[in-house]
Amino acid sequence: MGTDQDSLAISQALEDYYFKGIYEGDTNTLSNILNQGTLLFGDVKGQPYAKTLEQYFDRVAHRQSPKDSGKPFEGTIISVDVVNSIAVAKVNVKMYEFSYDEFLSFHKINNRWMIVNKMITDVSE
C-alpha cells in the first residue's frame, strides 16, 4: 500500500503545480505534474470531452487565466488513494461558471508523482 508520505507528496504536487498551473494558465507549471502522454476524457455541459495533452495545453495557453480574469478559483483535494507506484486523486476545480469533479490517475515515475490520465465531469448544474 502507499504511505502517508506518498499521499502528502501527491497533495503537495496538486497544490504547487496542478491548481497553481490552472489558476495562472501556466503550461510550464502544469508540465511539472502532467506526464507528456496524459490523455483527458469526460464531459463538459453534457458534451463528450476528449483531448491530448498538447490540445489541452494549447487551450490553457490561449484562454484568459482565472487569475487574469479576477474571478474566483478554487481547487480542492477530496481524496488521494495510493497503492505502490500508482494513485488516484479525486479533486474539484471551480473556475468561471464551472465546477468540475476530476479523477486524476498518477504513476510514480523517476521518484516523482505524475498525472498520466485526467477524467473530468462538469457538475455545475
Side-chain angles (χ1 to χ4, degrees), residues 35-74:
N35 180 270
Q36 62 190 14
T38 299
L39 295 174
L40 301 84
F41 294 100
D43 60 83
V44 177
K45 293 196 180 291
Q47 296 303 305
Y49 178 95
K51 296 206 179 317
T52 64
L53 187 62
E54 190 177 340
Q55 290 169 324
Y56 174 67
F57 275 179
D58 187 59
R59 175 126 173 82
V60 169
H62 293 97
R63 71 178 177 209
Q64 185 181 44
S65 71
K67 180 181 181 181
D68 290 342
S69 75
K71 294 190 172 144
F73 173 88
E74 185 180 359

Side-chain angles (χ1 to χ4, degrees), residues 43-121:
D43 60 83
V44 177
K45 293 196 180 291
Q47 296 303 305
Y49 178 95
K51 296 206 179 317
T52 64
L53 187 62
E54 190 177 340
Q55 290 169 324
Y56 174 67
F57 275 179
D58 187 59
R59 175 126 173 82
V60 169
H62 293 97
R63 71 178 177 209
Q64 185 181 44
S65 71
K67 180 181 181 181
D68 290 342
S69 75
K71 294 190 172 144
F73 173 88
E74 185 180 359
T76 306
I77 300 168
I78 297 163
S79 64
V80 177
D81 292 321
V82 181
V83 180
N84 297 326
S85 69
I86 63 171
V88 174
K90 182 179 180 186
V91 304
N92 178 266
V93 174
K94 288 184 173 68
M95 56 186 271
Y96 303 115
E97 71 277 17
F98 296 100
S99 176
Y100 299 112
D101 276 356
E102 303 178 0
F103 290 113
L104 304 171
S105 300
F106 282 82
H107 185 220
K108 198 173 194 177
I109 302 167
N110 296 326
N111 221 26
R112 286 186 57 196
W113 287 101
M114 299 290 290
I115 294 169
V116 294
N117 192 356
K118 174 175 171 171
M119 302 287 288
I120 174 177
T121 189

